[in-house]
Amino acid sequence: MTDDLAAARFVLGSRSIRDAGVVTVLAALIGVVGRIPLLVAVVLPLVLVTVSLLLRATRSPAAQEYGILPVLAGVGVLAVLATPSAIVVVLAGLAGLAVLLWNSDTPRESRRGPEPVDALLLPGVGLAVALLATFALPPANAAVGLAAVSIVAALALVLWALFGALREPGGAGEAL
């Protein structure tokens, strides 16, 4: 019983609340910048983050792991409803990274250090390449879009392989 209370306190700790606050602010900004009515843009993220925090504070391991889904769905809905613009795209990407950061903070994954580089390195690089391809390549051509997706996928595979190789015991040269 004390382990359950400790897990609930961990999930509702200051780090988790800070991460949830970042997600809330970014999701609200997506709505406000994307010209969604102010009531929906602000209230929807607040309600869904509160629901997720409460789900993650329960005793159920499944609720702790999958309690992030309401926020993920809410950010997705706001991103879809928002009027497309470069700022909305950047905010949606940052909100996705913030959700990943918040999701990495669960009782089972309590080994996260003060700087969560591992949790955000690969997704952050993927987001950076995707945004660079979006802004640098000319629009309105399906072939260019497919090329951009191919660039992001190829770079993600290379980074994933290198990251796995560097984590293998015995040296990176042997793993490659």
Side-chain angles (χ1 to χ4, degrees):
M1 176 110 175
T2 58
D3 291 338
D4 294 335
L5 290 173
R9 280 192 209 118
F10 178 82
V11 172
L12 287 177
S14 62
R15 181 184 289 175
S16 183
I17 292 174
R18 180 197 65 207
D19 293 345
V22 170
V23 171
T24 305
V25 168
L26 288 171
L29 283 173
I30 290 170
V32 170
V33 171
R35 296 186 192 131
I36 295 175
L38 191 60
L39 185 65
V40 174
V42 174
V43 171
L44 183 67
L46 281 172
V47 168
L48 292 177
V49 164
T50 304
V51 167
S52 288
L53 278 171
L54 291 175
L55 282 172
R56 294 186 70 165
T58 63
R59 296 179 189 175
S60 168
Q64 289 176 357
E65 289 296 320
Y66 299 110
I68 201 91
L69 289 178
V71 167
L72 196 57
V75 170
V77 165
L78 286 173
V80 167
L81 293 177
T83 304
S85 71
I87 296 173
V88 169
V89 170
V90 170
L91 286 171
L94 291 175
L97 290 176
V99 169
L100 285 176
L101 178 67
W102 183 20
N103 192 42
S104 68
D105 193 18
T106 61
R108 281 201 257 172
E109 300 291 328
S110 61
R111 65 184 183 276
R112 186 177 101 182
E115 297 296 326
V117 174
D118 289 347
L120 297 178
L121 182 65
L122 293 179
V125 169
L127 175 65
V129 170
L131 290 174
L132 219 108
T134 299
F135 296 132
L137 296 173
N141 188 347
V144 172
L146 290 175
V149 168
S150 299
I151 290 168
V152 171
L155 184 62
L157 285 173
V158 167
L159 287 173
W160 178 68
L162 286 174
F163 191 67
L166 293 174
R167 287 187 158 232
E168 288 292 320
E174 293 175 14
L176 289 175

